[in-house]
């Protein structure tokens, strides 16, 4: 069964390929990414950031594939914590390879652990005061 979101993702990938020539990641770089992003929450946050960049790249015009991904994300898109999550040293021509590495590892970890990932950052979650919970019941 083909879902609408799968068609959207395939179309987005094709648009990015057309607008930004892609540069593969070496096996060593892929291994480094997987060494740094070991927790489901880290992988989910990284994938969220990559998805935002991909959305803009697919909707925009042609871009220089050698442009720093960190510069594009932090200066153009204003994603302040991008380099903390993804790291540095990548170019926008690596975006689909980064998506591939992170998405496959996230799927692998979810399958092995059975943990459901939430994209809501734990630091944003707040417990409601007891009196508010009682009023809600």
């Amino acid at each position: 069964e083909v879902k609408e979101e799968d068609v959207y993702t395939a179309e987005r990938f094709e648009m990015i390929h057309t607008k930004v020539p892609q540069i593969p990641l070496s096996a060593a770089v892929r291994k480094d990414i997987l060494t740094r992003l070991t927790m489901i929450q880290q992988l989910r946050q990284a994938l969220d950031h990559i998805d935002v960049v991909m959305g803009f790249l697919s909707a925009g015009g042609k871009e220089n594939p050698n442009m720093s991904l960190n510069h594009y994300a932090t200066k153009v898109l204003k994603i302040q914590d991008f380099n903390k999550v993804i790291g540095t040293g990548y170019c926008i021509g690596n975006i689909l390879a980064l998506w591939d590495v992170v998405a496959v590892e996230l799927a692998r970890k979810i399958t092995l652990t059975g943990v459901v990932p939430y994209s809501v950052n734990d630091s944003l979650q707040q417990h409601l005061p007891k009196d508010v919970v009682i009023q809600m019941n």
Side-chain angles (χ1 to χ4, degrees):
E1 174 183 345
V2 177
K3 297 182 180 179
E4 185 176 330
E5 63 193 39
D6 295 333
V7 171
Y8 169 75
T9 300
E11 289 173 347
R12 189 168 56 158
F13 271 56
E14 186 174 333
M15 286 179 189
I16 292 171
H17 268 290
T18 302
K19 296 175 182 184
V20 183
Q22 291 299 293
I23 302 166
L25 297 171
S26 69
V29 170
R30 287 174 174 265
K31 184 177 179 181
D32 177 63
I33 293 167
L34 298 178
T35 301
R36 285 185 296 103
L37 302 175
T38 59
M39 297 177 6
I40 288 177
Q41 179 184 0
Q42 293 172 315
L43 291 161
R44 181 71 252 165
Q45 189 177 16
L47 195 57
D48 287 348
H49 285 325
I50 291 167
D51 280 340
V52 168
V53 172
M54 287 175 61
F56 278 92
L57 288 174
S58 67
K62 291 192 177 215
E63 295 286 351
N64 175 358
N66 294 311
M67 179 191 298
S68 164
L69 181 56
N70 187 52
H71 173 81
Y72 185 79
T74 60
K75 303 298 184 205
V76 177
L77 303 181
K78 307 294 186 201
I79 303 173
Q80 297 306 317
D81 59 347
F82 187 86
N83 63 343
K84 292 177 188 170
V85 176
I86 306 295
T88 59
Y90 308 107
C91 59
I92 60 173
N94 298 134
I95 195 69
L96 295 182
L98 283 166
W99 184 91
D100 181 56
V101 170
V102 174
V104 169
E105 182 64 8
L106 179 61
R108 188 183 77 78
K109 290 227 185 239
I110 291 169
T111 301
L112 292 175
T113 64
V115 172
V116 178
Y118 297 100
S119 62
V120 176
N121 190 330
D122 287 339
S123 66
L124 299 176
Q125 297 177 19
Q126 298 177 3
H127 294 284
L128 294 174
K130 246 184 186 175
D131 61 323
V132 173
V133 173
I134 291 170
Q135 289 176 357
M136 292 174 70
N137 290 330

